Amino acid sequence: MEKETCNFSFCAKPAIEEIETDLLLIGGGMACCGAAFEGARWANPKKIKMIMVDKAATDRSGAVAMGLSAINTYMGENDPVDYVKMVRNDLMGIIREDLVYDLGRHVDDSVHLFEEWGLPIWKMGDDGFSLDGFQAKEAGKVMLKDGGKPVRSGKWQIMINGESYKVIVAEAAKKALETNRAATGLKTNHYERVFIVKLYNDAKDPNRVAAAAGFSVRENKIYIFKAKAMVLAAGGAVNVFRPRSTQEGQGRAWYPVWNSGSGYALGLQAGAELTMMENRFVPARFKDGYGPVGAWFLFFKAKATNSLGEDYCVNPEALAEAKAKYGKYVDNLGTAIRNHLMMRDMKLGKGPILMRTDEAMAAINKNFKEKLGDKEGAKKVKHLEAEAWEDFLDMAIGQAGLWAAKNIEPDKVPSEIMPTEPYLLGSHAGCAGFWCCGPEDLGAPEEWNKKWPAGSYNRHSTVKGLFMCGDICGASGHKFSSGSHAEGRIAAKSAIAFILDHPDYKPTIKETVDHLAAELYLPFEVYEKYKTLTTDPFINPNYIRPKMLQTRLQKIADEYFGGIGTWYMTSKTMLDEGLKQLQILKEDTSKMAASNLHELMRCWENYHRILSVEAHARHILFREESRYPGYYYRGDFDKIDDTNWKCFVNSSYDIATDKWTVKKVPYVQLVEDAAPVKH
Ligand code: SFD
Ligand code: AMP
């Protein structure tokens, strides 16, 4: 197939802006907002220039765009050692305990800042009942940092009024960028609606990052940022697998559709080593609305059962069957195992699976009225209901539309839940991401810190100058919004130390600016070149439009890499066939066609998704066991095999040869085993 090239014969050449900075922050989500806030503290006194680039408007970009109802990681009275045990349990025994402990000891400071910046945090009332964030403020409840008592939904989670969570955190980041402009004289250091397509390594040092190229999604302009160091936090990957939502509902997903795996794709193309990319997150969610379940299980103490009213998590036959294959990991009843038990009942035809919201609300009603009497009790229930609905709906507005469409009143009837399509992420109950340097003071192997080849800087990737955090820092899940922010702060501080330790470094790349412009704008050239050869510009044998490319990608992933279409089942033979077809799709990407800037972004988003899911599939192929039953199954190795596979799986990609190297890395336990769980 003749490889397409762009020499701007058919499409207009974009304006090109070259920008030199010291520190570049790629992303504008929770992690990068933390990086901007902390970065300015250390950069300003040293007049170090810091720039943030976000594909969207930072006030409402990333996973927290719509708001959240809870902060899922807040230590408070808990010991970070127990946090490590919880995360290790939930992620089936394999995590970087140094990175998780390090996050646990830093996260609360970010939450205290959020409250200082105006985030309403629920507090316990003197009567033992919860006060929402606004009531707590009116009641003059002290701040968390001064010992205020949050309303815990679970051992690690606290309730918030989080509709404007991202706006509040973004404001602090933007203020920090403003102070950096004042300190360095930079005119502009916050670029919104600029989509970063590719990183380029240094002309003289192939294992050092030097530049990032992207394009504006609002005007014909591309940006080339040259930097001494970069913090990459562009989030996880959604819409790589065929979603359960179809046609008119196809925009609906749980994790944000605008997180298209750029974090993974940018880092792996630069040669950064990945870890645990075989992991994925398949959350149980309210069916079709994709509303989260944590608040219902933890705060409203709701139960989920099969349609026969049986609690699928306590069925002795099911537990014994699972234990025979997956051993002691079943005892923890972590997120993956809960899914596994739910799917077992669904496959037995005991579905639909129901979240008993009605029973939960009835129980709360009864409890409040017993304690407060009918009148006061009813008033409290009304307020909690309003809070619950409002809070829940902040985060998953689609759920309200669905309840209305289906005449469902959750306090009167249960709602169906089911496992979604898989997502790739590293900050929620998943741990797919990059292999990163850790802190030197936690007794971890020196290979993980002091002897880190690229230089011992906390959260440094294996590529010099490239730092990872949030969703894409691997083997350290359960960070959530607060932990991602804290990790961004850790990464930025390290990046500035790296810059100060390499004062004479000047980033240079071998590619010319015209080469980069041609690479980024190729889909425009292809479209303009062939668009008139058919009567319908969507049907043309000479190119592929982004929607078609995404549908083909999702079909391959779903049918061969363990999607909903196979009940998450895959095997060597399926993976081999899927990877063969994915290779053809990758070749077809030189025929991507875009008719406008929006489609140009969609083209490159899908290219990033292809690389992300390829890494995922190659890791699943390499790990010959089923480490995460309930997330995916290797039909040819349907068991957990600690003897051979209690280890990390790492990989790296060579963009020049399109070749992958995958290997085992020894697992090292730092925190003693947790006491066996009693159910
Ligand atoms: O529990 C480019 N999360 C929850 N965390 C909580 O603490 N509490 C909750 O209640 C949580 N719930 C929840 C959560 C997420 C979602 C989607 C829902 C519900 C519906 C998880 C957190 O949100 C998550 O852990 C963090 O936000 C992860 O932070 P980070 O920074 O790793 O990712 P991001 O915030 O999505 O930001 C990514 C940024 O990158 C930008 N970007 N910029 C330039 N070029 C490119 N090519 C780019 N690609 C992406 C994005 O614009 C964004 O700014 S619960 O209900 O599940
Ligand atoms: P979710 O709404 O599923 O995203 O979960 C939000 C938080 O609640 C996360 O910290 C989950 O680990 C936790 N969670 C969700 N469901 C349960 C459950 N059944 N038991 C314990 N923790 C849960």
Side-chain angles (χ1 to χ4, degrees):
M1 176 170 67
E2 173 227 338
K3 205 162 176 10
E4 294 289 347
T5 55
C6 171
N7 49 28
F8 298 106
S9 324
F10 298 92
C11 77
K13 192 170 181 181
I16 302 174
E17 191 171 330
E18 291 185 72
I19 298 153
E20 295 256 348
T21 182
D22 300 316
L23 178 57
L24 180 68
L25 310 179
I26 302 176
M30 289 307 283
C32 263
C33 285
F37 171 79
E38 190 69 26
R41 294 168 99 180
W42 304 95
N44 295 358
K46 305 281 183 188
K47 303 209 173 317
I48 287 175
K49 290 181 282 186
M50 184 173 70
I51 286 181
M52 177 192 267
V53 54
D54 189 348
K55 71 187 271 187
T58 301
D59 278 2
R60 288 286 180 183
S61 73
V64 187
M66 204 164 27
L68 294 176
S69 77
I71 287 177
N72 285 341
T73 301
Y74 180 69
M75 295 297 122
E77 67 289 357
N78 294 310
D79 182 332
V81 164
D82 296 329
Y83 173 61
V84 171
K85 292 176 183 173
M86 179 278 285
V87 176
R88 185 175 61 201
N89 274 346
D90 199 70
L91 287 167
M92 310 303 271
I94 304 175
I95 57 167
R96 280 278 304 272
E97 298 179 18
D98 58 329
L99 299 178
V100 174
Y101 185 91
D102 188 39
L103 192 115
R105 64 180 174 180
H106 283 108
V107 65
D108 286 14
D109 189 64
S110 278
V111 179
H112 296 161
L113 286 169
F114 299 159
E115 188 174 27
E116 225 172 274
W117 297 337
L119 181 68
I121 296 190
W122 293 29
K123 300 279 172 49
M124 289 310 290
D126 303 340
D127 58 3
F129 286 91
S130 60
L131 298 168
D132 71 39
F134 304 102
Q135 290 175 319
K137 210 168 185 149
E138 273 154 38
K141 287 291 168 189
V142 292
M143 305 272 267
L144 291 179
K145 69 178 171 47
D146 308 322
K149 216 165 163 354
V151 174
R152 285 235 178 243
S153 50
K155 181 173 168 70
W156 308 98
Q157 303 85 352
I158 61 173
M159 297 295 283
I160 60 174
N161 290 93
E163 193 284 329
S164 305
Y165 187 4
K166 184 64 193 320
V167 180
I168 291 167
V169 170
E171 184 190 34
K174 290 196 280 186
K175 281 230 179 310
L177 290 167
E178 192 183 317
T179 63
N180 186 258
R181 288 197 294 278
T184 61
L186 269 176
K187 293 230 169 343
T188 311
N189 66 353
H190 187 201
Y191 294 81
E192 295 181 296
R193 298 195 177 90
V194 172
F195 184 90
I196 298 295
V197 173
K198 198 171 174 186
L199 304 183
Y200 296 85
N201 289 3
D202 191 86
K204 302 190 216 68
D205 180 348
N207 190 38
R208 180 174 192 145
V209 75
F215 60 91
S216 162
V217 292
R218 286 286 185 276
E219 57 179 332
N220 274 322
K221 187 175 193 176
I222 71 165
Y223 294 86
I224 300 164
F225 298 95
K226 289 194 180 136
K228 296 180 177 175
M230 299 179 189
V231 170
L232 176 57
V238 176
N239 272 341
V240 279
F241 283 84
R242 189 192 335 235
R244 290 197 183 278
S245 52
T246 53
Q247 295 298 324
E248 63 182 320
Q250 185 150 3
R252 197 76 206 101
W254 166 68
Y255 223 52
V257 290
W258 45 83
N259 279 11
S260 56
S262 295
Y264 297 127
L266 294 172
L268 65 89
Q269 290 179 98
E273 191 168 313
L274 289 156
T275 188
M276 304 307 284
M277 274 307 279
E278 63 271 34
N279 175 270
R280 56 172 65 175
F281 184 36
V282 175
R285 290 291 177 254
F286 283 82
K287 184 171 180 297
D288 302 332
Y290 285 89
V293 295
W296 280 96
F297 279 126
L298 300 173
F299 187 68
F300 300 112
K301 310 283 180 264
K303 277 237 168 300
T305 70
N306 62 29
S307 281
L308 311 176
E310 300 159 346
D311 179 345
Y312 49 83
C313 282
V314 296
N315 172 326
E317 190 197 335
L319 289 168
E321 189 193 278
K323 219 168 166 172
K325 288 197 271 188
Y326 312 124
K328 66 178 182 188
Y329 294 100
V330 173
D331 298 341
N332 305 322
L333 272 185
T335 315
I337 294 294
R338 292 197 300 268
N339 267 15
H340 171 73
L341 298 169
M342 176 203 288
M343 286 193 252
R344 180 182 181 280
D345 274 22
M346 292 169 82
K347 288 180 199 165
L348 291 171
K350 293 182 175 181
I353 302 295
L354 301 172
M355 178 71 86
R356 304 284 175 177
T357 54
D358 50 332
E359 291 168 11
M361 292 314 292
I364 290 172
N365 227 316
K366 184 163 166 292
N367 169 16
F368 279 22
K369 288 187 174 154
E370 270 161 17
K371 287 204 176 117
L372 302 165
D374 281 7
K375 195 158 159 297
E376 198 40 43
K379 220 168 93 215
K380 260 263 192 257
V381 169
K382 262 276 146 279
H383 178 77
L384 188 73
E385 253 175 26
E387 270 312 323
W389 295 170
E390 190 256 319
D391 226 24
F392 185 57
L393 297 172
D394 290 350
M395 192 164 49
I397 193 71
Q399 196 65 40
L402 191 86
W403 277 336
K406 287 184 160 179
N407 301 334
I408 289 178
E409 294 176 84
D411 56 333
K412 297 196 177 48
V413 291
S415 276
E416 191 176 347
I417 64 171
M418 71 177 340
T420 69
E421 63 278 7
Y423 304 107
L424 305 179
L425 48 77
S427 71
H428 200 288
C431 60
F434 288 95
W435 184 245
C436 291
C437 176
E440 298 184 356
D441 64 331
L442 295 178
E446 293 195 338
E447 294 73 35
W448 296 0
N449 43 69
K450 291 197 184 75
K451 293 187 182 145
W452 192 262
S456 177
Y457 300 89
N458 203 347
R459 301 310 192 272
H460 201 190
S461 74
T462 56
V463 171
K464 291 182 207 134
L466 187 55
F467 293 77
M468 308 296 192
C469 47
D471 261 330
I472 60 167
C473 175
S476 51
H478 285 266
K479 302 173 230 197
F480 295 101
S481 58
S482 48
S484 298
H485 188 270
E487 194 167 57
R489 297 173 64 186
I490 295 168
K493 194 175 169 191
S494 301
I496 288 165
F498 177 87
I499 291 167
L500 290 169
D501 291 349
H502 302 83
D504 311 326
Y505 172 64
K506 187 156 178 31
T508 58
I509 57 174
K510 59 185 185 306
E511 296 81 0
T512 64
V513 290
D514 286 348
H515 167 92
L516 301 188
E519 189 172 7
L520 269 57
Y521 264 39
L522 178 60
F524 272 157
E525 182 88 341
V526 170
Y527 179 74
E528 297 303 327
K529 184 173 171 186
Y530 297 110
K531 70 181 181 185
T532 56
L533 299 188
T534 60
T535 52
D536 177 341
F538 275 97
I539 301 167
N540 189 315
N542 299 285
Y543 57 58
I544 183 168
R545 303 287 286 268
K547 194 162 174 43
M548 299 162 180
L549 184 71
Q550 187 178 66
T551 308
R552 292 183 192 181
L553 164 67
Q554 291 177 342
K555 182 174 168 52
I556 293 169
D558 182 60
E559 292 167 355
Y560 298 101
F561 302 157
I564 56 176
T566 64
W567 280 104
Y568 313 98
M569 176 61 75
T570 189
S571 65
K572 175 170 173 21
T573 45
M574 293 166 76
L575 290 157
D576 286 343
E577 178 56 28
L579 284 165
K580 203 169 75 202
Q581 297 193 19
L582 194 71
Q583 199 55 32
I584 299 168
L585 191 66
K586 267 171 80 176
E587 286 157 21
D588 289 347
T589 55
S590 81
K591 298 277 185 179
M592 292 193 295
S595 63
N596 55 46
L597 285 166
H598 185 69
E599 274 207 328
L600 185 66
M601 180 172 67
R602 290 283 181 260
C603 284
W604 288 113
E605 282 184 337
N606 288 324
Y607 186 73
H608 289 175
R609 287 186 174 101
I610 290 172
L611 291 176
S612 302
V613 82
E614 181 176 9
H616 182 54
R618 290 191 181 283
H619 275 242
I620 295 180
L621 180 60
F622 185 82
R623 180 181 284 279
E624 294 182 332
E625 62 159 1
S626 297
R627 176 60 57 170
Y628 308 105
Y631 289 171
Y632 77 83
Y633 302 87
R634 281 282 307 252
D636 45 359
F637 297 96
D638 191 9
K639 60 182 181 357
I640 290 182
D641 170 5
D642 268 357
T643 316
N644 297 305
W645 290 100
K646 181 82 188 261
C647 63
F648 300 102
V649 169
N650 286 19
S651 72
S652 49
Y653 174 68
D654 177 354
I655 192 169
T657 60
D658 191 25
K659 288 276 173 282
W660 293 79
T661 312
V662 192
K663 63 182 179 182
K664 285 186 178 184
V665 174
Y667 166 73
V668 177
Q669 182 166 346
L670 303 178
V671 167
E672 83 276 354
D673 275 344
V677 180
K678 291 195 204 45
H679 288 297

